[in-house]
Amino acid sequence: MNDAVSSVNAGASEIEFWFDFASNYSYLSVMRIEAQAMQRGVAIHWRPFLLGPIFRALGFDNSPFVLQKEKGAYMWKDMERQCRKYGLAWARPTTFPRTAVLATRVALLGAQQSWIAVYCRRIMQLNFAFDRDIGSIDVVSEALGELGLPAQQIIADAQSDANKLRLREQTAVAAAKGIFGAPTFFVGAEMFWGNDRLDDALALCDTTATPG
Amino acid sequence: MNDAVSSVNAGASEIEFWFDFASNYSYLSVMRIEAQAMQRGVAIHWRPFLLGPIFRALGFDNSPFVLQKEKGAYMWKDMERQCRKYGLAWARPTTFPRTAVLATRVALLGAQQSWIAVYCRRIMQLNFAFDRDIGSIDVVSEALGELGLPAQQIIADAQSDANKLRLREQTAVAAAKGIFGAPTFFVGAEMFWGNDRLDDALALCDTTATPG
């Protein structure tokens, strides 16, 4: 079955997961969410988007972690500790934030495919554990190839005008929903910001689930 | 015994707790920290300070929750949920942020007194559960009086030139330590930002505690 959402138990509730491959706190959630959601029988709607246009619309020309050096210095320390806590590999990327438009277009194209979770984890690991340039076509091809997927075809589809437009629309939807950072989760209309709120968001799914 | 720190078991490790009475996330930590620290035998060093001068030095003329309306709108929702989770009363203050210079000077004066924890909780409740003007001398007097403390004398001492200077110095120390928000915790040289990191900070205390 290719539809990752419909493969989850009928009647389970759902979480919308908005993330950006350049976002370090999105890395934590991308690595954690599938197992956490599975445990609770919650379906994940994967919503890759680009934070860059969101930040620009809010008047920032870069990540707050770059613009505010005290906050940035703290964040790198925090990431080390958070990765240790969750048992995740960590290497500070030599480029940050590493915008990854192609990787994001691929994720959007595959958002309802069975490979979406493992693909997103692989891209995140390449950025935050292996310090690879996930903005390049080579690295995206490699990631897809490793999963046994037809990289060339997927990349061609991802670069189609229709899919490029979909990513712009996806990012506009993010702005319209009031998203100002990543990761961001929605359970129904309730918005949760940050990896620190993933557990709370999933706990709300439990209480809002309709009987199967 | 008047010294709240030395009353904790010898050999226990220590946490520095930097907070601002105007800061909503500081409210959560002020209400939670004493019980959490006691459970682990950790001594709390209370470090009241003013975020206003810190924000101004970083180039912001107000709280990020005021300057960024999307983030602000989210924060009020998040506070409702967080208070529900922790079992804390909550009423959105009609003035935000409610700077409380006198209340902070009193906290600084009392930082090593046995009444510091209960006083800080009372000021926070007045701000975030009862929507009272904690910037006023009347409300600070009332809070001290309720605790059976000599309000008039304490306020006079708090308003002395020496104590005013100490608060300016305290805030300068916060800036020098790289503090950019509140609450902030230190365990040794390790900095933790946000109520969401209180548990992690206390867990580090456990591992760094010297035998009693």
Side-chain angles (χ1 to χ4, degrees), chain B residues 19-22 48-50 98-111 115-116 119-120 123 126 133-145 150-161 163-164 166-168 171:
Chain B
F19 61 98
D20 179 313
F21 284 127
F49 76 112
L50 296 176
R98 191 171 257 152
T99 306
V101 177
L102 172 61
T104 310
R105 287 178 180 153
V106 168
L108 185 62
L109 188 76
W115 47 267
I116 184 65
Y119 166 76
C120 290
I123 294 292
L126 289 167
D133 178 12
I134 59 163
S136 77
I137 192 165
D138 288 352
V139 171
V140 175
S141 299
E142 181 185 316
L144 290 167
Q152 215 179 335
Q153 182 59 53
I154 288 175
I155 287 171
D157 292 349
Q159 302 281 49
S160 70
D161 285 345
N163 196 58
K164 286 178 179 177
R166 277 185 66 213
L167 181 54
R168 286 195 293 276
T171 300

Side-chain angles (χ1 to χ4, degrees), chain B residues 3-193:
Chain B
D3 188 326
V5 168
S6 65
S7 69
V8 173
N9 295 337
S13 60
E14 302 176 350
I15 189 167
E16 267 183 51
F17 174 32
W18 293 78
F19 61 98
D20 179 313
F21 284 127
S23 148
N24 54 288
Y25 288 111
S26 292
Y27 166 52
L28 301 179
S29 290
V30 163
M31 300 307 287
R32 299 172 61 224
I33 193 169
E34 194 180 41
Q36 299 282 322
M38 196 176 288
Q39 210 174 45
R40 294 168 182 264
V42 170
I44 304 164
H45 293 275
W46 297 78
R47 298 274 191 265
F49 76 112
L50 296 176
L51 261 179
I54 302 276
F55 284 152
R56 281 192 292 278
L58 295 175
F60 306 112
D61 63 3
N62 205 331
S63 160
F65 298 129
V66 176
L67 297 178
Q68 298 178 49
K69 73 177 175 22
E70 293 80 6
K71 190 176 262 190
Y74 170 77
M75 176 275 280
W76 296 117
K77 284 288 300 176
D78 190 51
M79 281 301 297
E80 273 182 47
R81 289 189 306 232
Q82 291 285 297
C83 288
R84 201 179 314 133
K85 180 166 79 174
Y86 293 123
L88 297 174
W90 169 250
R92 177 174 168 172
T94 48
T95 302
F96 180 86
R98 191 171 257 152
T99 306
V101 177
L102 172 61
T104 310
R105 287 178 180 153
V106 168
L108 185 62
L109 188 76
Q112 303 205 324
Q113 303 302 314
S114 59
W115 47 267
I116 184 65
V118 66
Y119 166 76
C120 290
R121 286 195 296 270
R122 191 63 192 150
I123 294 292
M124 283 300 205
Q125 286 174 316
L126 289 167
N127 193 9
F128 292 107
F130 295 103
D131 192 22
R132 298 285 303 279
D133 178 12
I134 59 163
S136 77
I137 192 165
D138 288 352
V139 171
V140 175
S141 299
E142 181 185 316
L144 290 167
E146 282 171 359
L147 302 176
L149 295 166
Q152 215 179 335
Q153 182 59 53
I154 288 175
I155 287 171
D157 292 349
Q159 302 281 49
S160 70
D161 285 345
N163 196 58
K164 286 178 179 177
L165 177 62
R166 277 185 66 213
L167 181 54
R168 286 195 293 276
E169 289 170 347
Q170 176 96 323
T171 300
V173 170
K177 287 173 86 87
I179 289 176
F180 54 85
T184 294
F185 312 95
F186 284 88
V187 178
E190 291 282 303
M191 177 167 127
F192 295 84
W193 172 49

Side-chain angles (χ1 to χ4, degrees), chain A residues 14-86:
Chain A
E14 302 176 350
I15 189 168
E16 267 183 52
F17 175 32
W18 293 78
F19 61 97
D20 178 313
F21 285 128
S23 148
N24 54 288
Y25 288 111
S26 292
Y27 167 53
L28 301 179
S29 290
V30 162
M31 300 308 286
R32 299 172 60 222
I33 194 170
E34 196 181 40
Q36 299 282 323
M38 196 176 287
Q39 211 174 46
R40 295 168 181 263
V42 171
I44 304 164
H45 294 275
W46 296 78
R47 297 276 191 265
F49 75 113
L50 296 175
L51 260 180
I54 301 275
F55 283 152
R56 281 192 292 278
L58 295 176
F60 306 112
D61 63 2
N62 206 330
S63 160
F65 298 129
V66 175
L67 297 178
Q68 298 179 47
K69 72 176 177 19
E70 293 79 5
K71 191 177 261 190
Y74 170 77
M75 177 275 280
W76 296 117
K77 285 288 300 178
D78 190 52
M79 281 301 296
E80 274 182 46
R81 289 188 305 232
Q82 292 284 296
C83 286
R84 200 179 315 134
K85 180 166 80 173
Y86 293 124

